[in-house]
Every structure is written in structure tokens, then in C-alpha cells.
Amino acid sequence: SQQLLSAKTQPLLPKLSVFRGGFSAAAAQKICKASRLALAELEDKFLLRRHPSGRCEMHELVRQFARRQLRQSAKAEAQLKQARARFYADFLRQRERAAASIQPAREIGEEWGNIAASWEWALQTKDAAFIAAAAAPVSDFLALRGRIKEGTAMMTNAINALADKSDNNAKLARGRAQTQRGVLISHFGELPEALRAFDKSLLLFETLQSDADTALALVEKGHALQDLGRYAQAELFCARGMELYKKLNC
């Protein structure tokens, strides 16, 4: 079927193999430079199917064939994976404050294969910008779905991947991953370890003067202290965090 495609559309099929679990037309256009006409041609040749929701999906055997073609050029594959990471970092930023709400969580769930693949690519390439953007919405989504162990492992792997990097982007990413790791392990009652995670993130945020991140870590530390029954300390940390939030909203 690929040989029956137009000359302009043939190179698109390997590029689309970068996706996992389907993709939106917007993602294909941004990451693979796919036109709607080219996507329609692939659909007409039964190399792509479109769901009623508008999402597109390749049959797994077609995707494997296309992926083998893509792997023939390591440079092209790396460029596509980097473009995928940038796209899904923006996708997650747009849902950062609402990842635990029903509609954003559904949208993240639809794209989870691509988000997880982008996370793994970020670990391999030490892409601190992606990890910094993705840590909170990924953590919120997995907590909502009850996938606490998975989220904890992802945050721990991110911290370890960036352990040897000391630039500000890496510090921000590590700090956010530490905060979310603390939040997640609190669900298991591992409160002393959660406090240590919050302390590590606060040290990193202090060097960056990142008030919004500091505020979140302070409030989450307060919640952990409250769960430990250390109410006076909990009130102090929550108050400090809320005071920072007020300054940011002024």
C-alpha cells in the first residue's frame, strides 16, 4: 500500500511511527509536518484509521514496518523524538493546573503512550525542560488514576537521570520531581521520606528563587507534617507557602 502513495506522502509513514497509541491531527501536523490531505490519503489506503473522536491510529504491524524505516536514519528519528517531546511538554503545560480534573485527565489519558515515550526520551537525553514541564501534571494524573507506584518510579528515575547536571534547568526539573515524589509517597504513608523529598526540593528552589515552586513545596510539606500530627509545624509551613502564593497573585 505504501508504494501506491503519492511521492509527497510516502515519507510521512515512517515519521508517524514515532507516536504510541494514536495521535491527533494537530500532533501529526506539528511534529511530522503532516498535512490533512496526506493524512486523508493514508486513511484511504488503509494505512491509518481515524476514530470517531478524530484521533488517528496505525495498525501495529504497519507501525512496526514504518518504525524499521525510520530507524534507518538515527538523526531523523532523534529529531522527531525531540519534536514530540516539545509538543507534549506544551500539551502538559496547558493542563498543569487541572490534570486531576475530569476533562484534562481524559485528554492526558488519551495521549499517555506519547507522554510516557517522551518521558523516557527525556531521561535518555537528560531533557530537563521536558521533565520540569511534565512532572506536576504527570504526577497529578497518575495519582488520580491510583497509579502511585508508577508515578513514584517516574519521578525517582528523573531525579537520578539529572543527578550529574548542575545547570538551573536541571535544578528546576529535579526540584519539581522531588516535590512530586514527596506528594506521591505521602499516599503510601511514607511521611518521613516525603519530608526529606520536600526538603531537597526546597533547597533547589532556594538557589533558583522560584517562588511558585517554593510555595507548593512548603504547602505540601505542611500537609505531610499535619498527617504526622505535628500541627504547629504544619501550620507554619502552610502559612509560609500561602503567603508566597499571595505575593505571586498580587
Side-chain angles (χ1 to χ4, degrees), residues 201-245:
S201 67
L202 286 167
L203 283 173
L204 289 166
F205 297 147
E206 184 178 357
T207 66
L208 299 171
Q209 297 182 330
S210 179
D211 288 349
D213 291 295
T214 299
L216 176 61
L218 287 169
V219 170
E220 293 296 351
K221 182 176 180 179
H223 291 161
L225 287 165
Q226 185 175 34
D227 289 341
L228 281 168
R230 293 157 61 178
Y231 300 115
Q233 285 181 293
E235 185 176 358
L236 175 64
F237 279 97
C238 285
R240 285 174 58 193
M242 295 309 298
E243 185 62 29
L244 268 180
Y245 276 130

Side-chain angles (χ1 to χ4, degrees), residues 140-210:
D140 288 346
F141 168 76
L142 291 174
L144 179 68
R145 296 292 176 92
R147 292 155 61 180
I148 307 299
K149 288 185 178 180
E150 181 181 354
T152 302
M154 289 177 74
M155 298 304 141
T156 301
N157 290 340
I159 294 163
N160 293 337
L162 298 174
D164 61 346
K165 294 181 70 67
S166 58
D167 60 278
N168 285 348
N169 286 336
K171 287 180 179 179
L172 180 63
R174 290 207 322 269
R176 288 181 177 176
Q178 284 284 12
T179 297
Q180 295 307 319
R181 178 174 173 271
V183 171
L184 288 163
I185 62 179
S186 293
H187 290 284
F188 286 130
E190 298 179 17
L191 298 172
E193 180 59 28
L195 290 176
R196 285 189 284 272
F198 296 135
D199 285 339
K200 289 176 182 177
S201 67
L202 286 167
L203 283 173
L204 289 166
F205 297 147
E206 184 178 357
T207 66
L208 299 171
Q209 297 182 330
S210 179

Side-chain angles (χ1 to χ4, degrees), residues 22 47 151 234:
L47 293 170

Side-chain angles (χ1 to χ4, degrees), residues 36-53:
R36 291 188 178 276
L37 188 62
L39 292 174
E41 185 179 348
L42 289 172
E43 188 178 358
D44 288 342
K45 298 296 190 294
F46 302 104
L47 293 170
L48 199 67
R49 64 175 178 176
R50 194 182 299 267
H51 295 281
S53 66

